[in-house]
Amino acid sequence: AQTVTQSQPEMSVQEAETVTLSCTYDTSESDYYLFWYKQPPSRQMILVIRQEAYKQQNATENRFSVNFQKAAKSFSLKISDSQLGDAAMYFCAYNQGGKLIFGQGTELSVKP
Amino acid sequence: GAVVSQHPSWVICKSGTSVKIECRSLDFQATTMFWYRQFPKQSLMLMATSNEGSKATYEQGVEKDKFLINHASLTLSTLTVTSAHPEDSSFYICSAIWTGPNYGYTFGSGTRLTVV
């Protein structure tokens, strides 16, 4: 069974600093998608970044970037220049066969 | 584009009654939709996959007769919680696959169900 593991239940970062959230997954497939979603207190799920497994280049979206290590099945999210609005639950998710499977989540707090 | 609207945002119902939650894709056709359940401070748990014009596929451990899913059109999927009990109180979220540019999943805003 495919699983997604986020080993950091909580993380904290100082405003303007950089933080990295970790995620590992387990799969026997070679072609799949990985996602990071943000869930603020409103509970609306917001796509942060997406990575296609067949692409070796790490995805980047403004202050958000990933470190995708396919062999190690690792997919970490780096947030640069953290802002107060980045405070939220962050979920790593794996897609295969149409289903989106989520990790346990990491609650990120940003200190002013 | 790729907007999913979910209603109601919150609902309170009496134990034993049924509640229907709607999920609509506003600007695209959603052949496949998903229903999740989320408890406070926990992750999203996939309940079922809803396919337009066919029966939903439920995840292991999800009661089909309690959580009725209907996907009668390419823009609407509904989740009906039948004979609701307090333990059904939770946050329910729908999602749809967006197959256009920037392939991914788009989510409704969720429904907070409280059964009293």
Side-chain angles (χ1 to χ4, degrees), chain A residues 36-78:
Chain A
W36 277 98
Y37 279 90
K38 169 185 178 181
Q39 189 180 42
S42 69
R43 304 190 81 170
Q44 173 70 58
M45 296 291 286
I46 301 167
L47 176 64
V48 175
I49 201 164
R50 179 192 66 175
Q51 176 77 44
E52 297 161 82
Y54 69 87
K55 290 187 176 180
Q56 293 186 342
Q57 187 174 8
N58 289 322
T60 300
E61 288 287 343
N62 300 314
R63 298 184 293 108
F64 300 87
S65 61
V66 298
N67 183 2
F68 174 49
Q69 302 290 328
K70 190 173 183 179
K73 297 178 183 176
S74 171
F75 183 59
S76 61
L77 174 69
K78 185 172 81 171

Side-chain angles (χ1 to χ4, degrees), chain B residues 48-106:
Chain B
T49 302
S50 167
N51 294 296
E52 186 269 335
S54 63
K55 291 184 178 180
T57 303
Y58 291 82
E59 295 298 304
Q60 191 172 6
V62 177
E63 298 177 60
K64 301 178 182 180
D65 295 333
K66 166 162 281 298
F67 300 102
L68 299 180
I69 292 172
N70 183 277
H71 195 156
S73 77
L74 287 171
T75 59
L76 175 65
S77 176
T78 61
L79 168 66
T80 301
V81 183
T82 64
S83 186
H85 292 285
E87 57 265 31
D88 299 324
S89 298
S90 190
F91 191 69
Y92 294 87
I93 308 175
C94 69
S95 174
I97 296 178
W98 165 246
T99 57
N102 300 319
Y103 166 88
Y105 295 75
T106 185

Side-chain angles (χ1 to χ4, degrees), chain B residues 3-4 23-33 50-53 70-77 96-97:
Chain B
V3 176
V4 170
C23 183
R24 293 181 183 274
S25 57
L26 298 185
D27 51 2
F28 69 105
Q29 293 182 330
T31 305
T32 303
M33 290 186 173
S50 167
N51 294 296
E52 186 269 335
N70 183 277
H71 195 156
S73 77
L74 287 171
T75 59
L76 175 65
S77 176
I97 296 178

